[in-house]
Amino acid sequence: MGATLEEHLVATRKGRYDSYLAFLRIPSISALPQHAEDCRRAAQWLADALTEAGLEHAEVAETGGRPVVYADWLHAPDAPTVLVYGHYDVQPVDPLELWTSPPFEPIIVGDRLLARGAADDKGHVHAHVMAAEALLTTRGALPVNVKYVFEGEEESGSENLDRWLAANAKRLAADVVIISDTGFFEGNRPAITIGLRGLMYAQIDVVGTPVDVHSGGYGGVVENPVNALAQIIAALKGPDGRIRIPGFYDNVVALTEAERAAIAALPFDEEAFRQRLGVPALVGEVGYSVLERKGARPTLDVNGIWGGFMGEGSKTIIPAHAHAKVSCRLVTAQDPARIFEAFRAYVEEIAPPGVTTTVRQLGGGRPSLTPQDHPATQAAARALEATFGQAPVYIREGGSIPVCASFDSILGLPVVLLGFSQPDEHAHAPNEWIDLNNYETGIRMFARMWDELAVLPR
Ligand code: BES
Ligand code: ZN
């Protein structure tokens, strides 16, 4: 008799880590043009890994930007077809000096693997490939049909993905989508995400004099762009945490009493959460709990601001210009394009005279809610409980995965958000890590998930 799945996974652990680490060594930062070639290398590496795992039709597919990696295995005629989504691109690594080890030289410290992308999202992508490899090696078949779509632009706005999905709609036909780019709840508690926020990302540019001028000679007679920008930003949100843009809340679907009760029932220690973040207090919109504010209410935040003299010491100028990146996390049924228009109109209205203020959109994505009672979601819950030993909680996450809404609107498919990273994994920050126990159990969980889906009535 051949090895069981578990025996196989134990026997192949070393090679699996070599492979995972090799994937992490490729600096596939999608936002930076100088890493475009690295993104292609990562895509090719992944296509090769899929083929080596026994999957078929692996392809690095052009999108006009960073390529999509596609592969499939379609030999389970009576079983459902699952579309698996993840992303092989990663976030930039600055500030580099805060990393305790280089971001693209992965190292294992105790139970943790440290590297950019270890959790978000190469760990999930790699676990999917390894789950398929283990099933194909030990059983010679998968219990379901699987189509893999691994994107390379998720961290920079997925600009080309919707077009690629629409153009490939026929070959992407499936019964359900599994997106593996979310994680567990506080305390490493298994979770299924049922809500993601959307995003509207914009830049404000404020211009005064053509060049900096002496603040003694001209202070008091020309508007200072940095002051003007500060004034604009201060007017966007009230002390009650409410966003003041007219019409901003128009399409927000309010939480029902039942939804609020479900959120309130989550095992959440607010004080431990505050301490983990190292802040003196948690703040936000009045009338909503922390979990409601971070998962189910919209926000407005400045992501970056610059202008004027930023060197050592002092320099007496009225700066010529000032800039800010501002983004809003959105909830159902806010539309990023409409929110941008409302934002632009309001900023133009409140911009003080004496400077020229322009607003442009840099990106966006729609919010999404996924069905908790869908049979595939319940299959995922059984797979989580069987492997991680604990029934999952259902949570709304504050982050965004714009393609989640696209799978519904473009392909008409239901989505299950199924991942296993941890909330304090330092995603997008220095020293990103993944718990290797989660990664290992995650592989078994994905394999189990295919078995759970295979027996569902179609
Ligand atoms: N994995 C995250 C999304 C996420 C974050 C899910 C937190 C659950 C909790 C994803 O890789 C991501 O960072 N998305 C971007 C999308 C944006 C660039 C459109 C985000 O949320 O900022
Ligand atoms: Zn991310």
Side-chain angles (χ1 to χ4, degrees), residues 17 20 111-113 118-119 188 420-422 425 433-441:
Y17 283 30
Y20 188 4
D111 284 343
R112 290 183 178 189
L113 170 51
N188 204 21
F420 49 71
S421 59
Q422 292 204 34
E425 70 200 1
W433 58 273
I434 193 159
D435 184 325
L436 287 171
N437 299 307
N438 282 35
Y439 163 79
E440 282 294 324
T441 311

Side-chain angles (χ1 to χ4, degrees), residues 120 154-155 428:
D120 183 9
E154 197 275 344
E155 298 290 12
H428 296 205

Side-chain angles (χ1 to χ4, degrees), residues 85 87 89-91 119-121 124 153-158 179-184 193 195-201 294 327 329 363-366 395-403 417 421 423 425 427-428:
Y85 167 91
H87 62 92
D89 64 318
V90 300
Q91 283 275 321
D120 183 9
D121 183 35
H124 292 115
E153 299 188 327
E154 197 275 344
E155 298 290 12
S156 54
S158 300
I179 293 183
S180 293
D181 190 23
T182 54
F184 284 180
T193 297
L196 290 165
R197 287 194 288 196
L199 189 70
M200 186 287 292
Y201 205 114
K294 93 182 196 71
S327 64
R329 294 284 170 177
R366 280 169 296 153
I395 60 175
R396 290 186 186 222
E397 274 290 4
S400 308
I401 307 176
V403 73
L417 293 156
S421 59
E425 70 200 1
H428 296 205

